[in-house]
């Protein structure tokens, strides 16, 4: 029996995992928002809470950072600008188990 199978058999709950559809992009001038990333959760015990936080790269404003669909905003974007970074989304289930997924975003002035 695998470790995963033994865990599921012992707890009755599949391990908590999260993935996302990133990277997400934004294109424009002035204030530019990216498309929303979608964080997909499997396993664990519903309900889930979300918390997106800056991990690396250029600074960005996180929009909807406590949902499964965060997006990102940069102001003052001019032609030929290029910004990129990574945000870590932490997912917590009803049993206080956590997992993370990293979302990469890009904003281009154009």
């Amino acid at each position: 029996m695998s470790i995963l199978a033994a865990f599921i058999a012992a707890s009755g709950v599949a391990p908590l995992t999260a993935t996302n559809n990133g990277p997400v992009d934004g294109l424009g001038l002035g204030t530019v928002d990216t498309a929303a990333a979608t964080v997909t959760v499997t396993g664990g015990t519903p309900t889930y809470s979300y918390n997106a936080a800056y991990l690396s790269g250029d600074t960005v404003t996180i929009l909807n950072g406590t949902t499964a669909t965060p997006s990102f905003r940069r102001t003052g974007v001019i032609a030929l600008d290029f910004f990129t970074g990574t945000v870590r989304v932490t997912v917590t289930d009803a049993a206080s188990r956590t997992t993370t997924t990293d979302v990469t975003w890009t904003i281009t002035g154009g």
Side-chain angles (χ1 to χ4, degrees):
M1 177 182 292
S2 72
I3 293 173
L4 176 59
F7 173 81
I8 293 170
S11 69
V13 177
L16 180 65
T17 62
T19 58
N20 70 80
N21 67 330
V24 292
D25 302 314
L27 173 67
L29 301 173
T31 299
V32 180
D33 295 347
T34 68
T38 300
V39 176
T40 303
V41 181
T42 56
T45 305
T47 58
Y48 307 109
S49 63
Y50 304 84
N51 185 41
Y54 170 84
L55 184 62
S56 65
D58 295 305
T59 57
V60 69
T61 300
I62 301 169
L63 306 173
N64 302 313
T66 58
T67 71
T69 55
S71 58
F72 313 100
R73 173 176 289 162
R74 180 81 186 203
T75 59
V77 178
I78 61 173
L80 303 179
D81 273 349
F82 180 80
F83 304 98
T84 189
T86 303
V87 170
R88 176 161 289 162
V89 179
T90 301
V91 179
T92 305
D93 75 357
S96 298
R97 288 180 288 259
T98 62
T99 190
T100 61
T101 186
D102 295 345
V103 179
T104 301
W105 60 268
T106 301
I107 293 177
T108 305

